[in-house]
Amino acid sequence: MVRIGAFFVGLFFSGWLLVTFLVGAVSFVSEPPAPTAEHEFHLHPKEVSYSFNGPLGHYDKAQLQRGFQVFKEVCSACHSLKFVAFRDLEALGYNEAEVKAIAKNWAIKTPDVDPKTGEMAGRAPVPSDHFPKPFANNVAAAAANNNAIPPDLSLMTKARHDGSAYVYSLLTGFQDQPAELLKEFPDAKTPTGLHYNPYFANLNLAMAPPLTAEGQVTYGDGTKPTVDQMAKDVSAFLTWTAEPKLENRKRAGVAALFFLLIATGLAYMSYRNIWANTKH
C-alpha cells in the first residue's frame, strides 16, 4: 500500500514538473524576454595565443616576469594578491637575492605589531610574506575607488570563463559607447564615474583604463611595451598566480595517458594470449 501511495505521489510531482515546463516553454515562445543592452552588446573574450595553451603548453618565464612588472607598477596600487607570497616569485626565474630585494622595496608595507609598544605598525615585507593589501580595509578601498572595492587578483583567471583571454580583453576593451547602443537603449548611457567596456558583464565598471599608453612600463628585456603587449603579459602572470602548478598538471596528464595506452596494449595482448587456444 505504501509503495502504491509513493508511486502516485511521484507521478503527481513528475506531472506537475512537466506541466510547469510546458507552460514556461509556451510563455517563452509567445512572449520572449525583452532584449537588454547587456545581452545585445556584451562581447565574449577575444582569442589570444599563449605559450601555456594546449595540453603541452608551458609558461614563458620572460613573459611572466614582464607581467609581474606590469602588476607591480600599474595594478598593485589598487589590487591585491593575497594568496601569493614573495618567495613564490622564484618560480618565475628570480633568485633568492632578487626576491628579497623585491620584498624589501615593495611600496606597501606589511602590517605588524610593534614589539615595543604593542601597536600596529608597518614593516618591510620579507620573502615569506604574502603580497600586502593596498588598502587597510574595504571601507578605505571603496573610498579611494568611487565606492567600488577592487577585487583580489590571485585567482581571477580561475574565477572567469576564458580567464586569461578575459583579463586581456577587459584591459584592452575600454572604449566609447557605440552610437547603436544609445540609439537602441537610450537609458543605457554609462553613468558618470563609470567606464564602458563591452567585455564586462554589465558593460560598465568603476575601474578606469589602467593601461593607457605605450611605454607605461619599461621592460628590461627590450620588449616593446605596447598596451596590447602589457595586457597580454599581465594576463599571463595572473594565470600563473591562479595556476602555479599548471605545467606539473599537464605533465601528469600526459604521463597518465601514456601509462593508460601501455596498460591497454598489455591487457589486450594478455587477453589474446590467454584465450588464443580457446574454441568458441
Side-chain angles (χ1 to χ4, degrees):
M1 192 68 181
V2 174
R3 291 182 177 179
I4 296 176
F7 170 77
F8 281 108
V9 170
L11 184 64
F12 169 78
F13 280 105
S14 298
W16 184 261
L17 288 174
L18 179 61
V19 170
T20 303
F21 171 76
L22 292 175
V23 170
V26 171
S27 298
F28 180 82
V29 173
S30 59
E31 299 179 8
T36 63
E38 292 83 356
H39 181 267
E40 295 291 328
F41 289 88
H42 176 64
L43 300 179
H44 293 289
K46 306 172 185 177
E47 292 187 7
V48 193
S49 176
Y50 292 99
S51 62
F52 50 80
N53 288 345
L56 301 178
H58 62 280
Y59 285 127
D60 179 349
K61 290 186 178 181
Q63 182 179 50
L64 297 184
Q65 290 189 13
R66 294 195 303 268
F68 169 64
Q69 184 179 350
V70 175
F71 172 81
K72 176 184 176 182
E73 297 184 19
V74 180
C75 310
S76 63
C78 297
H79 295 279
S80 58
L81 287 178
K82 63 181 180 181
F83 296 120
V84 183
F86 285 97
R87 62 187 174 192
D88 295 333
L89 296 176
E90 292 185 16
L92 273 58
Y94 294 106
N95 59 41
E96 184 178 353
E98 289 173 327
V99 171
K100 287 183 178 179
I102 291 172
K104 182 179 180 180
N105 297 321
W106 197 253
I108 305 168
K109 302 303 180 183
T110 296
D112 201 357
V113 177
D114 189 330
K116 296 181 180 179
T117 63
E119 297 180 351
M120 290 299 297
R123 61 168 175 80
V126 296
S128 59
D129 288 325
H130 286 71
F131 282 84
K133 296 180 180 180
F135 301 102
N137 51 51
N138 287 343
V139 175
N145 293 278
N146 194 27
N147 292 322
I149 301 173
D152 180 82
L153 298 181
S154 305
L155 304 176
M156 184 56 66
T157 59
K158 293 285 285 183
R160 298 291 184 271
H161 179 63
D162 290 336
S164 307
Y166 168 80
V167 172
Y168 167 81
S169 300
L170 192 73
L171 292 174
T172 58
F174 290 93
Q175 56 187 267
D176 295 330
Q177 279 189 300
E180 297 81 3
L181 185 153
L182 296 176
K183 181 178 180 180
E184 187 173 350
F185 302 97
D187 296 333
K189 182 177 176 59
T190 297
T192 302
L194 299 185
H195 306 271
Y196 179 78
N197 193 314
Y199 298 99
F200 194 64
N202 67 0
L203 306 181
N204 304 296
L205 70 166
M207 180 178 71
L211 302 175
T212 56
E214 180 178 321
Q216 198 166 339
V217 301
T218 302
Y219 287 143
D221 63 0
T223 302
K224 189 175 182 180
T226 62
V227 171
D228 184 83
Q229 183 67 54
M230 290 186 290
K232 190 173 181 180
D233 291 341
V234 76
S235 60
F237 170 71
L238 293 178
T239 302
W240 172 80
T241 64
E243 295 189 88
K245 303 299 183 182
L246 177 142
E247 293 175 323
N248 292 341
R249 175 169 58 80
K250 290 187 176 184
R251 281 194 291 266
V254 171
L257 288 175
F258 187 66
F259 169 78
L260 290 174
L261 287 174
I262 294 177
T264 301
L266 292 174
Y268 178 73
M269 288 187 288
S270 298
Y271 161 77
R272 293 300 301 268
N273 184 58
I274 294 171
W275 298 100
N277 299 322
T278 301
K279 296 181 179 180
H280 295 283

